Amino acid sequence: MTDRSLRLLLDFDACAQRDNGQASVFLHRRDRKFALTCKEQGVEATPKRWIAYINRFSDAELGREQLSQTLRFWKRVNSSFVAIGALFGVFSMIGLLFYDGGQRISVTVIIAFVAFQLLLALLTTAQSLLGWQPWRSVIRRFSKNSQSAVLTRLQPVLMAQAAQLGGLCFAFGGLITLLIMVLLQDLAFGWSTTLETDASAYHAMIAAIAAPWAWLWPAAAPEIGLIEATRFFRASLGQESINPSLWGQWWPFIAMLWTTWALLPRLILFLLAGVLIKRKARQLLLKHPAMGALMYRMETETLDTGNEHNDASDFPNLDSQSMLTPLPKANTILTWAGADDSELPSILIEGKSSQAKVGGRSSLQEDETTLKRVAAQLEKEAKPCVLLAARSWEPPTGELEDFINRAKELWPEGAHIALVPLASNILREPEQHHIQQWLRFASRMQSKFVSVSVISSGNDSHFTQAGQKA
């Protein structure tokens, strides 16, 4: 029950359940930032790293407690099967080897019992592969925690592993009991059947059963002579022609029969159950509904839609602050996410002592270096201010908000950022609906650190209010 794939699936499911109460905007920004951080560090954004990442910022004690309770429950299930299986194995072998001196122990009955055990082992594995859950009501009764959909789909293979473990202990307990009774008692084996079966036909069946080990231990593969000499009839119990010394020579065959056809199949199927659990856990993790949503959030930029609510029926908030500030004087201009791919208005680049690219194809480390360099320059200015040019038609992203928040931490007190959304055509002004989304973004920042200014590149004038020239 300590398989890493199983633990990873249960951890991921617990984190997904905790995220159900979070706002979609928060989840998108958090997971997008995680993906960018992994890209910057050159590591893969795996579910395991994602779990460790979000557990640093949220209370994961409840999820860990649920995971511990689930694992403890299945550990108790396995322990119960071990104890019950070993106990039943001992008593079953004692019953099979019961000998009162009047009638020999039937080899045929032992063969039939082993065949029944093999059939049960195969049916248990088939049950797990088909997803049948005959134990569901028992699990619900004894499990204290409510079963999630993921754990419910894992139950067939988990119960199959527990059942195979119990069967393995059953076979091992029976084998130990057999060897002890061979040592302590003088067991007498024989074979008989009500049907008309001659010794040669019975020998053919015994030879087929003993084929796996006949080359390794010839004494455990009875010869035709032993089979003819140990067949008994009710009418021949008192005959002196039967050699009693041959009755005990069946025990090597019985020991190998039990080991090969009862113990080894259980061991193999128990190991197979562990492989099936690992495979099933990986499949459920890949197909988990939250996994697809997580991949989308990590690969998609976060956008400011202007909607402060989470309901799809709500319209975007159009009541944002519409006042634009005059274009301030600044010695530094930053271009966000390729805003300088085309020609910049002359009013933005004239008289600027520093210009740099940030965001977009720039890495997080490069952005950090730029912020620190600009911070050193702003320390020398009386009124520190930086222009940040961006494409007006591209909505503000969560990465831009993180960049501005980081700038606020590094730059000196009193510093200011003026967002300058640029139109696709420098001879035209930005569209009103494009300007509105940037105004809403600045309003959502709720800080005097950020303002929005718009210029018209045709005449290099600025606007104090949307649509009105200063």
Side-chain angles (χ1 to χ4, degrees):
M1 291 305 299
T2 58
D3 180 70
R4 295 180 180 179
S5 300
L6 178 59
R7 283 183 170 271
L8 180 61
L9 173 63
L10 296 179
D11 275 335
F12 184 85
D13 186 59
C15 292
Q17 292 182 26
R18 291 204 311 269
D19 281 351
N20 287 337
Q22 300 290 347
S24 59
V25 175
F26 165 77
L27 297 179
H28 199 167
R29 290 191 59 219
R30 181 199 66 188
D31 297 336
R32 177 60 177 171
K33 186 174 182 180
F34 163 73
L36 293 176
T37 302
C38 290
K39 183 178 180 181
E40 177 67 21
Q41 296 175 354
V43 297
E44 185 180 359
T46 61
K48 184 177 180 180
R49 288 194 177 95
W50 177 76
I51 292 171
Y53 175 78
I54 67 172
N55 282 342
R56 293 185 301 172
F57 305 104
S58 61
D59 184 12
E61 291 300 325
L62 180 60
R64 294 194 185 99
E65 180 62 25
Q66 291 178 350
L67 174 62
S68 299
Q69 290 180 2
T70 300
L71 295 179
R72 284 197 301 267
F73 170 76
W74 285 102
K75 186 177 181 179
R76 290 194 300 268
V77 171
N78 288 343
S79 301
S80 301
F81 272 87
V82 167
I84 296 174
L87 189 63
F88 270 81
V90 171
F91 283 104
S92 297
M93 185 57 70
I94 292 175
L96 289 172
L97 299 181
F98 177 75
Y99 177 60
D100 59 359
Q103 184 175 355
R104 279 162 281 180
I105 301 169
S106 177
V107 175
T108 308
V109 172
I110 297 178
I111 293 175
F113 189 81
V114 170
F116 179 68
Q117 291 299 312
L118 179 60
L119 178 62
L120 286 180
L122 296 176
L123 288 178
T124 300
T125 300
Q127 164 256 316
S128 65
L129 294 175
L130 295 175
W132 182 40
Q133 302 187 44
W135 309 89
R136 179 181 296 180
S137 59
V138 179
I139 294 176
R140 288 180 177 178
R141 181 175 181 179
F142 290 97
S143 179
K144 297 181 180 179
N145 296 334
S146 58
Q147 301 291 330
S148 64
V150 169
L151 194 56
T152 301
R153 297 182 64 180
L154 272 174
Q155 283 179 2
V157 288
L158 292 175
M159 282 303 302
Q161 185 186 48
Q164 299 293 7
L165 180 59
L168 178 62
C169 294
F170 176 91
F172 187 75
L175 179 61
I176 296 298
T177 305
L178 169 64
L179 297 178
I180 293 175
M181 294 189 70
V182 167
L183 180 64
L184 300 180
Q185 291 186 351
D186 184 14
L187 301 178
F189 296 93
W191 68 277
S192 65
T193 175
T194 307
L195 303 176
E196 291 293 337
T197 303
D198 57 5
S200 60
Y202 198 81
H203 175 260
M205 182 187 71
I206 294 297
I209 295 175
W213 67 83
W215 61 274
L216 180 64
W217 192 4
E223 299 291 343
I224 183 66
L226 177 63
I227 294 175
E228 290 176 345
T230 54
R231 181 173 185 177
F232 65 92
F233 301 89
R234 287 189 297 272
S236 65
L237 290 177
Q239 294 181 1
E240 297 180 356
S241 60
I242 299 177
N243 186 2
S245 64
L246 300 177
W247 296 351
Q249 294 184 11
W250 277 95
W251 80 264
F253 170 80
I254 300 299
M256 291 303 297
L257 169 72
W258 192 270
T259 301
T260 304
W261 297 108
L263 181 63
L264 288 181
R266 286 290 188 178
L267 176 61
I268 294 173
L269 294 177
F270 170 72
L271 297 177
L272 177 61
V275 175
L276 291 177
I277 290 176
K278 182 182 296 186
R279 177 187 175 188
K280 188 71 172 179
R282 290 176 177 174
Q283 289 178 348
L284 291 177
L285 181 62
L286 293 176
K287 296 180 181 179
H288 198 290
M291 179 61 72
L294 173 62
M295 293 295 104
Y296 173 80
R297 293 195 297 265
M298 289 195 300
E299 296 172 359
T300 309
E301 294 185 348
T302 56
L303 303 178
D304 176 25
T305 62
N307 190 353
E308 297 179 357
H309 308 286
N310 297 320
D311 299 329
S313 59
D314 290 341
F315 290 101
N317 184 6
L318 300 177
D319 297 329
S320 301
Q321 174 73 21
S322 62
M323 293 297 295
L324 294 167
T325 61
L327 190 66
K329 295 181 179 180
N331 296 323
T332 303
I333 179 173
L334 303 177
T335 55
W336 177 259
D340 61 339
D341 289 349
S342 57
E343 183 182 358
L344 293 177
S346 59
I347 192 174
L348 291 181
I349 57 179
E350 288 179 352
K352 301 299 186 293
S353 59
S354 177
Q355 180 177 344
K357 300 179 181 180
V358 292
R361 290 184 291 269
S362 300
S363 66
L364 296 177
Q365 185 60 41
E366 291 172 343
D367 289 347
E368 183 78 7
T369 302
T370 301
L371 287 174
K372 292 180 179 179
R373 186 175 69 251
V374 172
Q377 296 175 355
L378 296 179
E379 290 285 354
K380 306 174 184 179
E381 299 180 7
K383 293 183 178 180
C385 181
V386 173
L387 301 183
L388 182 57
R391 294 167 174 170
S392 63
W393 65 92
E394 294 181 352
T397 62
E399 288 88 336
L400 176 58
E401 185 171 349
D402 293 337
F403 177 83
I404 293 176
N405 288 331
R406 182 59 178 162
K408 188 176 181 180
E409 296 175 1
L410 296 177
W411 291 356
E413 186 176 357
H416 179 75
I417 286 183
L419 294 174
V420 185
L422 303 176
S424 58
N425 188 339
I426 63 173
L427 300 178
R428 296 182 180 180
E429 304 169 3
E431 299 290 340
Q432 281 295 315
H433 63 280
H434 291 161
I435 297 175
Q436 286 294 323
Q437 66 184 359
W438 288 94
L439 289 170
R440 289 193 297 268
F441 173 76
S443 175
R444 183 162 59 87
M445 297 292 291
Q446 296 181 352
S447 173
K448 296 181 179 179
F449 184 71
V450 182
S451 64
V452 180
S453 300
V454 176
I455 63 170
S456 173
S457 300
N459 52 19
D460 286 346
S461 61
H462 65 267
F463 291 79
T464 57
Q465 188 172 351
Q468 296 181 6
K469 294 183 181 180

